[in-house]
Amino acid sequence: MNKKAKYNLAWLVLLIAGTLWILVRHNAPTPYQKDEGFVFGTIYNVTYQCDKNLKAAIEAELQRFDASLSPFNDTSVISRINRNEEVQVDTFFANVFRRSQQISQETEGAFDITIAPLVNAWGFGFKDGTFPDSSMIDSLLQFTGYQKVRLNADGRIGKDDPRLMLTCSAVAKGYAVDVVADLLERQGVKNFLVDIGGEIVVRGTSPQEKPWRIGINKPVDDSLSIHGELQTVLHITDAAMATSGNYRNFYYHGGKKYAHTIDPRTGHPVQHEILSATVVARDCMSADAYATAFMVMGLQKAAAFAEAHPEIDAYFIYNDENRVAKVYQTQGMKRFLSAPSSEG
């Protein structure tokens, strides 16, 4: 073979190799990114299929959210409102407030973001409380109630009583999940899971090209979150999910257990048979709020409400009259359910 032929052959080999490399690169599946961090006093995990990492954008969005709705941030919008400062609400706050008021009306006050003084009094809030007596609770109830607060046309919150304080802890985390999900969708991401402290939104498929597998924990008294035994697993996509339960946030006083879920109508921690309530909905803000409301309502009323609202599905773990754990689920929930397994 002469020199020219060798030269042409070398170029042909390089051309074929380059073409093959381009084809492999073009046909290679887009990788899944996995980001995690700490926000709102809990851990977030985001898994998404994208050819670039979006962690910086995700955390920037979460910081904006924190500046609106975190009661632990002294300069946040909600903190300033609770101090009765003159402040116009931002879009994050307005969306949470309006949806919270709607769900308060739907649930006849079982969900209510004005319970901050009660939550603090029982020692579950962002301030240290002292164990309350009945006269203190009656006093706090005088300026508690979603009907006593409003969002005015000028973008400011109006209160019937300046002592009224807001807490969005039972809805803001779910909305933060929605906010991150919206960010991913704006970036063109179609397959993802967003998890902030157990509140979840999923779209598309998992890295295994199947619906996402989300576990529901057994409601075992576990204030240190040591145990993680699963009750069941959902196969789910294009939906949001939130769980509320009293098995991880409680304390004992005088030999009696006090759970963190407060009934806004009585001012006292709930003592219902429901151990945990899991809600599947179109958005995580609603799922989060309904799960909390169901813990307040009790099994009979919560089940009736869920069955009457086909846009949501619910899964309740509760104690029967013999203190045996049982399950109640809406008809629509059954399509998501499967037994726990070891598959990825």
Side-chain angles (χ1 to χ4, degrees), residues 196-218:
I196 300 180
E199 319 300 15
I200 291 167
V201 166
V202 288
R203 296 284 186 270
T205 56
S206 70
Q208 291 75 35
E209 298 183 346
K210 296 179 180 179
W212 297 89
R213 301 176 69 250
I214 310 298
I216 297 177
N217 286 335
K218 284 189 175 181

Side-chain angles (χ1 to χ4, degrees), residues 73-100:
N73 182 342
D74 287 340
T75 64
S76 69
V77 172
I78 194 169
S79 293
R80 295 179 64 191
I81 288 170
N82 283 340
R83 292 194 300 265
N84 295 308
E85 296 179 11
E86 286 292 322
V87 56
Q88 282 190 314
V89 305
D90 60 2
T91 301
F92 288 146
F93 186 95
N95 287 344
V96 164
F97 184 85
R98 292 190 181 106
R99 186 63 178 131
S100 295

Side-chain angles (χ1 to χ4, degrees), residues 13-29:
V13 170
L14 287 173
L15 180 62
I16 292 172
T19 301
L20 289 173
W21 182 82
I22 291 171
L23 288 173
V24 169
R25 192 64 193 274
H26 179 74
N27 293 320

